[in-house]
């Protein structure tokens, strides 16, 4: 099936239709609301699969095939025609399948997890809108459509993170996510404006065509624009220093966490960098400022988040910091020139991270809390959850032959061969991160599933089939998805590649070091938490080894600039803002208002003085003069009024004489 405008529109609009139905008829549907979402999202998934199959067939038969492009509608703005269209190429096809299928299984899982929730239909409405927004982001072929979808994704994350808004923690987490990501979105918007100012177009292909032929100055400006666009990715994909929102987002329902971390919100930033990669790679792959920034932000974030994850006790927070770390891996891969590697890891990560989050939800559903220290021994109560979780852990840790191994190995190989500044240091940082990833996941497995149950009030049990079936399916893909990227027969690279990017052959040294690092991490975690499981929630073997450093890691290196808790960076930031507000209030009251008031008083004084002078000397003067003159005339004429008849007769005679003289003069003329 070709990606016609109708097919592309249905893929996106079907989940949106589910949103509308659940919004307007949710009160009537009630516990049946999931059928609408499962049906319409299922239609979207089937169409996505057919489009994917067609794309694969066309790509293999035609090496020059670059997908389908089309226009949904246009809006004339002056002389400029704003086009809203779609593109379905190889990368889009992969993302459509990931978003729709993982989203569908998360919705199926939600049927069991959210059963009995008083806002059941609203939940499925928001979930459907979330997927529709992400599908629009994946399908759009211009910056305006991308930005619209970008903001819709942010709005949906706010609604779903704060879904249980009656909980203060959930409400705060939703606001934190919305505000922090807006910081990155501001830079993203500036990048769009700058790109349009330089190129004069908004379509992806038009921008890339312009960039190829642009002069050096225009290329420099477009590189700056790319860095501003990357600010959006830093926010959405939770990279340092805007990583702080994602762990708190765990206050939302666990299926929401799975969707955010696997197929929507956080994937948007990495996808955007991949989609706009020609802008980032405009200056080449050596000493490229844009790619260097992307690589180092990603590499540092990967390491930072991994160090924090080793000291977290909340099962979902460990996975949240793991997501931040793996997103850093992806961006590091893109930054060092591993275009295929970074996007391949995005695809494989979606499967095993969805699996791990849904697995954690199954655990929480069984014990009714998130504290790993109070769990233990759950493998005996929840065998399906345990086995599937173990598969997800192996995939995340990069153990062959699971999915995460193949994609992570490609990233490390790309870093090993890269020529950007500090590439070897990034490779070393990636190896340390691989060790830490394997360690904290083994620690989690040990605390949750091994030893004895430490919460005597809990009555754990395996989750119902509606929750375990998605776990089994995702475990299958977490095991097999990586085989499409086996070195030497890399099917993913055949479909998704950037022709100008450097191509590296299989590197046994990088792979060997990666596997060794992973197994060392598992060995360390096994000795601390599985061979000698803790007996009470108060025990922490790692703290005994690290001392005060453990407390620092548990407190997230105290660099959360949003958190006003004493000891966090946010405490000092909030104090600084308060003092700034106080000083600004004083400046406003005494300087700005003082100047305004002084001008007002001066103006009032000058105007009043001038008005008083005008009133006294002009207005009153004129009135007084008229009065004086009238009085003068009155005094003169008063003297004529004597009351004597002879005087009046004299005046009559004088008047007649004057009239006669006047008449004579008129005749003479």
């Amino acid at each position: 099936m070709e990606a016609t405008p109708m097919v592309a529109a249905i893929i996106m609009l079907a989940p949106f239709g589910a949103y509308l139905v659940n919004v307007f008829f949710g009160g009537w549907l009630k516990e049946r609301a999931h059928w609408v979402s499962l049906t319409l999202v299922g239609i979207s998934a089937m169409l996505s699969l057919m489009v994917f199959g067609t794309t694969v067939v066309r790509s293999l038969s035609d090496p020059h095939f670059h997908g389908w492009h089309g226009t949904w509608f246009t809006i004339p703005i002056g002389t400029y025609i704003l086009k809203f269209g779609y593109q379905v190429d190889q990368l889009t096809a992969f993302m459509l399948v990931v978003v729709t299928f993982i989203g569908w299984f998360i919705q199926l899982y939600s049927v069991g997890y959210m059963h009995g929730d008083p806002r059941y239909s609203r939940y499925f409405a928001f979930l459907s809108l979330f997927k529709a927004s992400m599908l629009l982001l994946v399908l759009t072929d211009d910056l305006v459509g991308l930005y619209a979808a970008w903001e819709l994704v942010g709005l949906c994350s706010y609604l779903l993170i704060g879904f249980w808004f009656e909980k203060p923690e959930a409400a705060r987490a939703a606001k934190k996510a919305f505000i922090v990501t807006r910081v990155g979105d501001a830079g993203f918007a500036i990048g769009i404006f700058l790109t349009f100012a330089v190129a004069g177009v908004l379509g992806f292909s038009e921008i890339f065509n312009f960039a190829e032929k642009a002069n050096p100055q225009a290329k420099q400006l477009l590189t700056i624009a790319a860095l501003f666009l990357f600010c959006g990715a830093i926010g959405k994909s939770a990279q340092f220093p805007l990583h702080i929102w994602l762990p708190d987002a765990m206050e939302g329902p666990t299926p929401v966490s799975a969707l955010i971390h696997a197929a929507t919100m956080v994937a948007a930033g990495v996808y955007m960098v991949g989609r706009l990669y020609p802008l980032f790679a405009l200056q080449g792959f050596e000493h490229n400022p844009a790619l260097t920034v992307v690589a180092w932000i990603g590499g540092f974030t990967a390491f930072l988040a991994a160090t924090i994850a080793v000291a977290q006790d909340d099962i979902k927070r460990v996975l949240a910091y793991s997501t931040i770390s793996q997103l850093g891996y992806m961006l590091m891969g893109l930054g060092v020139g591993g275009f295929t590697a970074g996007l391949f890891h995005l695809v494989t990560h979606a499967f095993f991270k969805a699996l791990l989050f849904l697995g954690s939800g199954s655990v929480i559903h069984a014990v009714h809390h998130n504290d790993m220290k109070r769990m233990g021994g759950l493998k005996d109560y929840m065998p399906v959850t345990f086995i599937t979780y173990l598969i997800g852990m192996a995939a995340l840790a990069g153990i062959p032959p699971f999915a995460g191994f193949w994609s992570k190995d490609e990233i490390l190989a790309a870093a090993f061969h890269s020529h950007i500044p500090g590439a070897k240091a990034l490779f070393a940082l990636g190896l340390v991160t691989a060790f830490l990833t394997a360690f904290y996941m083994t620690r989690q497995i040990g605390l949750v599933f091994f030893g004895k149950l430490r919460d005597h009030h809990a009555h754990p049990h395996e989750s119902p089939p509606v929750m375990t079936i998605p776990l089994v399916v995702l475990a299958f893909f977490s095991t097999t998805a990586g085989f499409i990227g086996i070195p030497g027969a890399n099917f993913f690279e055949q479909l998704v590649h950037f022709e100008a990017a450097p191509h590296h052959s299989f590197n046994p040294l990088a792979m060997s070091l990666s596997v060794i690092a992973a197994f060392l991490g598992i060995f360390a975690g096994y000795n601390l938490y599985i061979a000698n499981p803790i007996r009470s929630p108060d025990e922490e073997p790692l703290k005994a080894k690290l001392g005060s450093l453990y407390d620092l890691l548990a407190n997230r290196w105290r660099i959360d600039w949003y958190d006003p808790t004493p000891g966090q960076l946010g405490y000092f930031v909030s104090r600084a803002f308060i003092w700034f507000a106080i000083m600004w209030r004083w400046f406003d009251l005494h300087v700005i208002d003082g100047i305004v008031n002084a001008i007002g008083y001066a103006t009032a004084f000058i105007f009043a003085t001038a008005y008083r002078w005008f009133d006294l000397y002009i207005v009153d003067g004129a009135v007084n003069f008229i009065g004086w003159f009238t009085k003068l005339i009155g005094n003169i004429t008063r003297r004529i009024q004597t009351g004597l008849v002879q005087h009046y007769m004299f005046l009559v005679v004088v008047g007649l004489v004057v009239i006669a003289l006047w008449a004579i003069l008129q005749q003479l003329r």
Side-chain angles (χ1 to χ4, degrees):
M1 178 181 291
E2 294 190 358
T4 62
M6 182 62 70
V7 173
I10 293 173
I11 291 174
M12 179 194 63
L13 291 177
F16 186 72
Y19 162 74
L20 293 177
V21 172
N22 279 316
V23 164
F24 289 105
F25 302 101
W28 176 73
L29 290 168
K30 296 182 180 180
E31 292 294 322
R32 295 167 294 179
H34 61 269
W35 286 111
V36 177
S37 294
L38 287 172
T39 301
L40 291 177
V41 174
I43 292 172
S44 181
M46 291 298 103
L47 289 175
S48 296
L49 187 61
M50 287 187 284
V51 170
F52 175 79
T54 305
T55 304
V56 170
V57 172
R58 289 286 301 274
S59 299
L60 295 177
S61 61
D62 182 7
H64 303 289
F65 174 70
H66 297 293
W68 295 276
H69 301 261
T71 301
W72 284 320
F73 59 92
T74 60
I75 300 176
I77 303 176
T79 58
Y80 186 79
I81 305 297
L82 185 61
K83 297 180 180 179
F84 287 90
Y86 72 93
Q87 65 173 4
V88 178
D89 57 9
Q90 293 86 341
L91 176 58
T92 306
F94 269 103
M95 291 301 298
L96 288 177
V97 172
V98 168
V99 173
T100 55
F101 271 86
I102 291 179
W104 190 87
F105 281 108
I106 289 173
Q107 283 197 321
L108 178 63
Y109 178 94
S110 298
V111 175
Y113 191 90
M114 298 299 292
H115 179 73
D117 193 280
R119 294 187 291 273
Y120 190 76
S121 61
R122 183 185 298 182
Y123 170 82
F124 279 95
F126 290 165
L127 213 62
S128 299
L129 182 61
F130 205 180
K131 283 191 279 289
S133 303
M134 189 63 192
L135 289 170
L136 174 61
L137 191 149
V138 170
L139 285 166
T140 189
D141 69 343
D142 65 87
L143 289 176
V144 174
L146 180 65
Y147 188 76
W150 194 267
E151 295 302 321
L152 275 174
V153 167
L155 172 63
C156 293
S157 69
Y158 169 79
L159 296 172
L160 286 166
I161 293 168
F163 185 76
W164 291 323
F165 54 81
E166 61 273 7
K167 296 168 55 181
E169 297 84 2
R172 283 196 296 268
K175 288 186 289 186
K176 184 177 184 178
F178 193 80
I179 292 170
V180 173
T181 54
R182 291 290 78 69
V183 176
D185 292 353
F188 187 65
I190 293 172
I192 293 174
F193 296 147
L194 184 55
T195 302
F196 182 72
V198 176
V201 289
L202 292 167
F204 295 156
S205 57
E206 291 87 349
I207 294 171
F208 302 154
N209 291 334
F210 173 86
E212 278 185 24
K213 304 171 184 177
N215 58 51
Q217 185 179 4
K219 287 185 177 181
Q220 290 179 355
L221 290 172
L222 288 174
T223 300
I224 296 172
L227 288 172
F228 276 110
L229 292 169
F230 181 59
C231 291
I234 292 175
K236 279 288 190 289
S237 295
Q239 298 296 285
F240 178 86
L242 302 182
H243 67 286
I244 56 177
W245 69 270
L246 190 56
D248 294 271
M250 301 303 98
E251 294 295 337
T254 298
V256 172
S257 302
L259 193 60
I260 288 176
H261 288 252
T264 54
M265 183 81 166
V266 298
V270 179
Y271 172 80
M272 183 272 291
V273 175
R275 175 57 67 196
L276 301 179
Y277 202 68
L279 282 185
F280 288 88
L282 199 56
Q283 303 287 341
F285 290 89
E286 295 185 17
H287 305 288
N288 183 321
L291 290 180
T292 301
V293 170
V294 172
W296 272 102
I297 290 288
F300 177 75
T301 304
F303 169 76
L304 178 72
T307 61
I308 298 173
V310 303
Q312 301 302 307
D313 296 332
D314 186 306
I315 186 172
K316 289 173 66 177
R317 283 185 176 265
V318 173
L319 298 178
Y321 281 108
S322 168
T323 298
I324 297 172
S325 181
Q326 295 305 304
L327 291 166
Y329 249 118
M330 299 170 202
L331 290 171
M332 184 180 77
L334 291 169
V336 297
F339 175 81
T340 301
L343 295 176
F344 183 34
H345 198 53
L346 177 65
V347 173
T348 60
H349 176 265
F351 290 108
F352 60 73
K353 187 52 59 75
L355 168 62
L356 289 170
F357 264 107
L358 295 186
S360 72
S362 180
V363 170
I364 295 168
H365 188 263
V367 299
H368 304 292
H369 62 80
N370 295 20
D371 190 354
M372 298 189 299
K373 295 290 190 65
R374 294 166 54 199
M375 299 177 185
L378 295 184
K379 64 181 178 64
D380 299 325
Y381 301 92
M382 309 175 70
V384 177
T385 300
F386 168 64
I387 294 172
T388 55
Y389 207 94
L390 200 62
I391 292 173
M393 171 263 179
L396 176 57
I399 303 300
F402 297 97
F405 163 73
W406 304 104
S407 52
K408 185 184 71 173
D409 176 62
E410 280 198 40
I411 292 173
L412 290 174
F416 185 82
H417 292 285
S418 176
H419 296 288
I420 72 164
K424 292 297 185 289
L426 284 171
F427 174 74
L429 209 59
L431 288 178
V432 175
T433 303
F435 167 82
L436 293 171
T437 302
F439 174 80
Y440 65 66
M441 287 307 301
T442 307
R443 173 179 180 266
Q444 187 178 68
I445 290 286
L447 290 175
V448 175
F449 294 103
F450 286 87
K452 294 182 179 180
L453 183 64
R454 294 177 290 275
D455 185 356
H456 302 295
H457 300 288
H459 302 284
H461 53 83
E462 185 61 270
S463 298
V466 73
M467 295 175 66
T468 56
I469 289 174
L471 297 181
V472 173
V473 174
L474 290 170
F476 171 77
F477 284 107
S478 297
T479 305
T480 60
F483 293 127
I484 64 173
I486 295 178
N490 196 326
F491 175 73
F492 186 86
E493 188 175 22
Q494 292 179 36
L495 298 179
V496 181
H497 61 274
F498 186 69
E499 294 179 359
H503 176 75
H504 307 294
S505 58
F506 173 67
N507 190 306
L509 177 61
M511 184 193 71
S512 301
L513 292 175
S514 171
V515 173
I516 291 171
F519 276 110
L520 286 175
I522 293 173
F523 179 75
Y526 177 85
N527 283 333
L528 284 177
Y529 295 97
I530 298 178
N532 301 290
I534 65 173
R535 293 180 294 274
S536 74
D538 298 326
E539 292 183 36
E540 179 46 69
L542 189 60
K543 186 174 182 179
K545 301 286 185 182
L546 299 180
S548 58
L549 178 59
Y550 179 87
D551 295 326
L552 187 62
L553 299 178
N555 283 287
R556 300 160 287 168
W557 289 101
R558 304 187 186 278
I559 57 175
D560 189 339
W561 51 267
Y562 187 92
D563 187 357
T565 305
Q568 288 290 343
L569 179 61
Y571 176 81
F572 303 101
V573 173
S574 62
R575 297 282 81 75
F577 270 102
I578 290 172
W579 279 107
F580 177 78
I582 293 172
M583 295 300 297
W584 179 253
R585 183 176 181 274
W586 181 90
F587 184 80
D588 183 48
L589 288 175
H590 295 88
V591 179
I592 296 180
D593 285 358
I595 293 173
V596 173
N597 292 337
I599 293 173
Y601 289 137
T603 303
F605 176 77
I606 294 170
F607 182 79
T609 302
Y611 182 80
R612 183 174 179 275
W613 182 89
F614 184 82
D615 184 51
L616 287 174
Y617 295 100
I618 304 300
V619 178
D620 288 357
V623 173
N624 292 336
F625 174 78
I626 293 169
W628 172 82
F629 184 76
T630 303
K631 184 180 179 182
L632 177 65
I633 298 301
N635 288 333
I636 293 172
T637 56
R638 181 172 57 86
R639 293 176 182 177
I640 301 174
Q641 303 294 322
T642 61
L644 298 175
V645 176
Q646 59 268 31
H647 288 169
Y648 296 147
M649 291 302 295
F650 174 77
L651 290 173
V652 170
V653 172
V654 171
L656 291 172
V657 172
V658 171
I659 293 171
L661 290 173
W662 181 80
I664 293 169
L665 289 172
Q666 291 296 319
Q667 290 294 327
L668 292 174
R669 292 176 65 185

